[in-house]
């Protein structure tokens, strides 16, 4: 697993994942990549360690007072038993890592695709509205519309591969695009491509037809 | 082995004295963490109590070969904050539940504790300006752009200071 991944998550994203300040859609991207990439998982864990040390050293340890009955209240809370937590179902399939299986309610067969033209299909995943996540199915050899980006867009390949002006992306590889990047991703000719794409802003398409497509894509 | 034995005593003996000592150390820090994230004092107090109660109930899941006690409590507090204050889910990577399958190897536990302490020492040694930005990133629930708006520093300066801080921390860990 993971040995051939060439394009990884950066420090800013991993640190924000540890800090808990990413929108849900980006958390889903990070969790999915970490499921496939041991290297980034280790880096992510070291950002948890850093968070623990920030907590350990914070001046609030002395400055913040607890309520006088804080310990007693907590012990009473404990006596009441644990709060029931939803069971985490850890299903996985050969294509979708378990965080994604969780969001589609099963495996790749459970994805409800919507056609968006040119054989491309998408499925929007249910996340909080501050960013969006979707699965994209791009037939082998198909080009996505030429587009730029207003915010940050991250795309991770789950099956097949795609190529853009910058590089070649295969399973587990993450492309991080911001407003500097303007590109035309093309799915590898050998295999249909499935990607997870997350974005915190609408994509900007350049041509008239893709602009109409954008309305259907709901991005 | 800072605090590890306390957790073991809570887990195996339901030792309220050990719990009270953990509480005195960590509960004010967790409360401060939540207040710096924007919670008012009473919400932060309530959440800090929840986090400490979760520590009691989840003590059997703690694996000292994988995390220090501070790291573990940090992750519980962070997840609680996302749950309560942002009302969002936090997807976790595949098969990354806390929880030892068997008794952890003492050598692994020691290595992890030493590395954690080394990182803590390196964090304490950072220049003030770099250290503050790291803290803001963790406690403030702020993106880099929001930190830029709050501090009045250009976004580029913030990114490069955080990068410098991380480089120093990595260097100190070698
Ligand atoms: Zn990676
Ligand atoms: Zn793009």
């Amino acid at each position: 697993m993971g040995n051939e991944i060439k394009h990884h998550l950066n420090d800013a994203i991993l640190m924000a994942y540890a800090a808990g300040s990413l929108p849900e859609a980006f958390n889903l991207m990070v969790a999915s990549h970490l499921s496939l990439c041991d290297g980034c998982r280790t880096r992510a864990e070291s950002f948890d360690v850093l968070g623990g040390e920030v907590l350990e050293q914070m001046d609030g340890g002395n400055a913040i007072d607890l309520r006088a009955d804080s310990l007693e209240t907590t012990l009473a809370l404990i006596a009441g038993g644990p709060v029931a937590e939803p069971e985490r179902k850890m299903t996985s399939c050969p294509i979708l890592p378990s965080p994604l299986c969780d969001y589609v309610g099963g495996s790749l067969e459970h994805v409800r695709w919507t056609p968006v033209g040119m054989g491309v299909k998408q499925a929007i995943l249910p996340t909080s509205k501050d960013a969006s996540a979707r699965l994209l199915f791009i037939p082998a050899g198909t080009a996505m519309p030429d587009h730029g980006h207003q915010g940050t867009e991250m795309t991770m390949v789950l099956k097949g591969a795609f190529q853009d002006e910058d590089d070649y992306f295969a399973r587990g590889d993450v492309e991080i695009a911001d407003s500097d990047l303007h590109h035309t991703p093309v799915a590898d000719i050998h295999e249909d491509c499935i990607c997870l794409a997350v974005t915190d802003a609408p994509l900007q398409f350049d041509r008239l037809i893709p602009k109409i497509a954008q309305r259907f894509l709901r991005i | 082995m800072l605090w590890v034995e306390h957790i073991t005593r809570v887990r195996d003996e339901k030792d309220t004295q050990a719990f009270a000592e953990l509480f005195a150390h960590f509960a004010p820090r967790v409360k401060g963490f939540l207040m710096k994230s924007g919670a008012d004092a009473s919400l932060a107090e309530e959440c800090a109590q929840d986090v400490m109660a979760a520590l009691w109930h989840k003590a059997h899941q703690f694996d000292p070969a994988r995390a220090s006690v501070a790291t573990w409590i940090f992750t519980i507090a962070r997840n609680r904050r996302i749950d309560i204050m942002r009302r969002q889910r936090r997807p976790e990577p595949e098969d990354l539940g806390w929880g030892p399958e068997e008794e952890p190897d003492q050598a692994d536990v020691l290595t992890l504790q030493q590395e954690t302490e080394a990182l803590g020492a390196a964090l304490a040694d950072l220049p003030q300006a770099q250290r503050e930005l790291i803290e803001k990133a963790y406690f403030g629930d702020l993106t880099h752009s929001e930190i830029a708006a709050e501090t009045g520093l250009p976004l580029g300066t913030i990114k490069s200071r955080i990068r410098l801080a991380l480089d120093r921390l990595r260097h100190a860990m070698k």
Side-chain angles (χ1 to χ4, degrees), chain A:
Chain A
M1 114 176 192
N3 297 334
E4 296 142 27
I5 297 176
K6 290 192 191 68
H7 302 274
H8 296 275
L9 301 172
N10 62 34
D11 279 344
I13 299 271
L14 288 173
M15 191 172 170
Y17 180 70
S21 50
L22 289 176
E24 186 179 345
F26 284 78
N27 280 338
L28 181 58
M29 170 62 79
V30 175
S32 299
H33 182 76
L34 300 190
S35 300
L36 301 176
C37 181
D38 288 339
C40 285
R41 186 183 287 221
T42 304
R43 287 166 65 213
E45 283 172 352
S46 67
F47 281 107
D48 282 347
V49 177
L50 183 57
E53 290 311 291
V54 172
L55 179 73
E56 177 63 39
Q57 290 175 26
M58 77 177 295
D59 51 14
N62 301 314
I64 303 288
D65 283 328
L66 295 171
R67 238 180 253 154
D69 63 353
S70 196
L71 178 60
E72 287 66 34
T73 313
T74 306
L75 288 169
L77 205 61
I78 288 166
V83 183
E85 282 184 35
E87 195 74 24
R88 277 180 73 200
K89 277 185 268 121
M90 271 307 190
T91 55
S92 71
C93 82
I95 304 298
L96 303 184
S98 67
L100 282 172
C101 286
D102 199 23
Y103 273 74
V104 303
S107 60
L108 190 59
E109 289 102 75
H110 296 84
V111 177
R112 271 168 293 183
W113 296 106
T114 311
V116 290
M118 301 181 298
V120 178
K121 296 184 287 184
Q122 73 166 0
I124 293 175
L125 303 175
T127 62
S128 60
K129 298 288 171 230
D130 45 358
S132 69
R134 68 215 145 91
L135 291 169
L136 284 171
F137 175 96
I138 307 151
T142 300
M144 292 295 282
D146 181 17
H147 63 276
H149 309 88
Q150 266 170 354
T152 301
E153 180 199 56
M154 293 172 69
T155 308
M156 182 169 80
V157 176
L158 297 162
K159 178 177 180 288
F162 74 82
Q163 172 98 49
D164 71 5
E165 291 83 343
D166 260 15
D167 222 323
Y168 184 83
F169 298 86
R171 179 167 167 85
D173 282 329
V174 179
E175 182 180 52
I176 303 175
D178 57 22
S179 44
D180 301 336
L181 181 73
H182 195 102
H183 66 164
T184 312
V186 182
D188 191 299
I189 193 73
H190 297 101
E191 197 182 351
D192 294 338
C193 180
I194 295 176
C195 297
L196 170 68
V198 302
T199 179
D200 59 2
L203 301 188
Q204 304 168 301
F205 289 104
D206 294 336
R207 299 187 196 118
L208 183 62
I209 292 173
K211 271 184 186 141
I212 295 168
Q214 190 176 3
R215 275 211 298 277
F216 290 105
L217 284 159
R218 279 213 286 135
I219 43 182

Side-chain angles (χ1 to χ4, degrees), chain A residues 15-16 18-21 49-61, chain B residues 26 28-39 70 73-75 77-78 81 85 123 131-143 147 150:
Chain A
M15 191 172 170
S21 50
V49 177
L50 183 57
E53 290 311 291
V54 172
L55 179 73
E56 177 63 39
Q57 290 175 26
M58 77 177 295
D59 51 14
Chain B
F26 286 106
R29 287 173 165 78
V30 172
K31 184 175 179 179
F33 164 57
L34 294 162
M35 287 177 71
K36 288 200 175 180
S37 306
I73 294 176
F74 164 74
T75 62
R78 175 214 41 218
R81 185 187 72 193
M85 295 176 64
L123 176 67
R131 194 190 139 100
E132 274 175 11
L133 286 179
I134 297 271
E135 288 175 348
K136 272 194 196 305
Y138 276 95
F139 290 128
D141 195 9
L142 295 173
T143 63
I147 295 174
E150 196 193 271

